[in-house]
Structure formats: structure tokens, C-alpha cells
Amino acid sequence: MQVLGGNWQIFQKMVEASGATINLNSPVIGLKKSGSKYAIQTISGSSNTTYQITFDKVILANPFQFSNIDVGSGVLTSSIESVPYVQLHVTIFSSSKRLKPQYFKWPGFLNVPTGILTTLAKADNANSGSQGVGKAGFFSCTILRTAINPATKKKEYIYKIFSPQALTPSLLRYATPFKS
């Protein structure tokens, strides 16, 4: 599922509804506790000046292990666990071809759904990370929308594929489930 115009709008509307102030291009570099308040140290992107803002509450909503935020003592009541993220490649491309029903063992007279999430085959071993994709070779394939190719004036499908490895044109030609 997606939001017309981009999923970022969900978060934009949440911030607007909260009445919060947005400080773009102001990376947080530190967080300290001062009494019952929290002081955030940030850098202004335009002037490269460090400054501090105090808040009653602070929500850390980022992959903390990659944030490089210096957290003072007494700020966290428990440690934040490291999350083992999977390296993921997103490939977006257009094609005049639809997905092959036979590739997915789908009846040939039906179109494949516009969104496919893969699972492991019985013969696949359950692994983590990029090895967890199994025989399918990709995590998901979605038709985002259709568009008219300006060169051919014909309809094409805009695909988005999540995979553990970068997809190459030759791999797309050889190993993908598209109708010929």
C-alpha cells in the first residue's frame, strides 16, 4: 500500500497535528538530562553553529546505532538494543511486460496480483540477512502504477523490487518472472 504523493505525508501530517516545530537540516549530536528536562544539542545546517534546546520529553525515532548521538548519563533508563538490519536493494524500472503467472504457479488465464511478497520454498533453508530470500531471489515485487512510454507511446508498468543484491539488466532479462 502507498499514499498518493508519498508515504512521507503520513509523518508530515502527524507533526502538523502535534503542533511541533520542525528544524530541518539540524542534526542532533547530543542529548543530556538537566533536572526533569532534556537538552538536545544540535547543529544548524545553515550556519554550522551548535546550539541547545530544552524539552520536557524526547522521543528517539531513528536507527539509534547509526545516529552517533552522544547520550549523557541518566538519559536512558535501559540500553537500546542493536538492530541487525538487512541490506536491501530497491530497483525501480518500467517494462511493457506483466509478471508471468506460471512463474508463481498461478493459473495462466489470470493476471498476477500487483504486489507479490515472497516466502521460502520447502527446499529453502531459513537464513537471516541476504541469504533469507530463498529461491525467489527477491523479497517483493510491486507494480507501482502504469505510465505511457514517451518514445513508444505504449503503456508500461512501473515496478519496484526489493532484493538482497543489486539487480542488473542481464539478471532482469534472464531470471525475472516476466511474460515474453
Side-chain angles (χ1 to χ4, degrees), residues 52-113:
Q52 186 170 295
I53 309 170
T54 305
F55 296 95
D56 295 328
K57 304 268 186 215
V58 172
I59 297 171
L60 296 173
N62 69 331
F64 187 72
Q65 68 201 39
F66 305 119
S67 69
N68 294 322
I69 297 173
D70 182 27
V71 178
S73 63
V75 172
L76 301 174
T77 56
S78 62
S79 63
I80 297 175
E81 293 179 26
S82 180
V83 177
Y85 290 100
V86 172
Q87 184 171 351
L88 190 64
H89 292 270
V90 180
T91 306
I92 298 175
F93 64 96
S94 69
S95 173
S96 60
K97 299 175 182 177
R98 292 279 313 231
L99 294 171
K100 268 192 237 175
Q102 299 84 354
Y103 184 88
F104 298 99
K105 298 185 173 134
W106 195 259
F109 59 89
L110 293 174
N111 279 332
V112 175

Side-chain angles (χ1 to χ4, degrees), residues 23-30 40-45:
N23 296 310
L24 299 175
N25 298 317
S26 301
V28 173
I29 58 170
I40 290 179
Q41 294 171 298
T42 184
I43 299 174
S44 170

Side-chain angles (χ1 to χ4, degrees), residues 1-18 22:
M1 238 177 13
Q2 64 188 23
V3 174
L4 187 62
N7 290 348
W8 63 270
Q9 295 173 97
I10 296 169
F11 305 101
Q12 178 70 29
K13 294 296 181 191
M14 287 170 51
V15 170
E16 289 172 7
S18 75
I22 300 174

Side-chain angles (χ1 to χ4, degrees), residues 143-154:
I143 295 176
L144 298 175
R145 64 184 176 89
T146 58
I148 302 299
N149 181 321
T152 64
K153 307 292 186 224
K154 295 191 179 191

